Amino acid sequence: MNAESDERRDAATDGADGSDKGLGSRAPHFVKRHRTLHLSWQVGVFVVGLAVVIAGIIMLPLPGPGWLVIFGGMAIWATEFVWAQLVLRWTKRKVTEAAQRALDPEVRRRNIILTVTGLVIVAALVGVYVAKYGFAMPWKVGK
């Protein structure tokens, strides 16, 4: 056994104290009792989750909340599939870690300095452009 499988086994036993729901299917009990019905349920959940994930992927280059919809599809899958539950737990952990790092005063100071530096550079480039060409649009320059 390795640490990852121990972690998964521990995660699967969560829920006994009410702190976290365990891994596995959240299908109604009457669906779980019949193998054919449960398999049909899983296929249905997979198809609906896949449709939502595909819609999110389509929204990535188009206007719309693409990543939010993709994670919504993953949440649909997580109601039935352990692998999706593990992916969502990993994602939640990474987002929480990133949020904590962003709140660190040193990181915030560095990000503010980089943002201000970038804005100064952009302002300087815009100033050079306006000084050379005036307020002409780029596609009308040189005519």
Side-chain angles (χ1 to χ4, degrees):
M1 289 244 171
N2 58 24
E4 184 176 314
S5 64
D6 290 341
E7 180 181 327
R8 287 184 182 170
R9 188 177 64 238
D10 292 342
T13 59
D14 285 349
D17 60 353
S19 64
D20 194 11
K21 291 184 178 180
L23 298 174
S25 175
R26 293 191 178 96
H29 183 64
F30 72 91
V31 171
K32 290 182 189 178
R33 280 192 307 219
H34 304 287
R35 182 164 173 73
T36 307
L37 188 57
H38 192 225
L39 184 61
S40 300
W41 179 273
Q42 286 181 326
V43 169
V45 167
F46 183 80
V47 168
V48 170
L50 183 64
V52 173
V53 168
I54 289 173
I57 291 171
I58 290 170
M59 286 184 201
L60 286 176
L62 302 174
W67 284 110
L68 185 65
V69 174
I70 289 171
F71 288 125
M74 289 295 295
I76 291 170
W77 280 338
T79 63
E80 196 58 36
F81 303 108
V82 173
W83 61 266
Q85 293 168 2
L86 294 173
V87 168
L88 283 179
R89 284 184 181 185
W90 178 84
T91 304
K92 183 179 179 182
R93 188 171 54 248
K94 291 299 178 183
V95 167
T96 303
E97 289 171 5
Q100 290 301 321
R101 279 194 313 269
L103 294 175
D104 181 25
E106 290 182 21
V107 173
R108 289 185 69 203
R109 192 174 313 117
R110 183 199 66 207
N111 289 345
I112 290 171
I113 290 170
L114 289 173
T115 301
V116 169
T117 303
L119 289 174
V120 167
I121 291 170
V122 168
L125 292 173
V126 168
V128 168
Y129 176 84
V130 169
K132 187 169 184 175
Y133 300 107
F135 285 106
M137 292 293 137
W139 50 87
K140 293 185 179 181
V141 172
K143 288 187 178 181

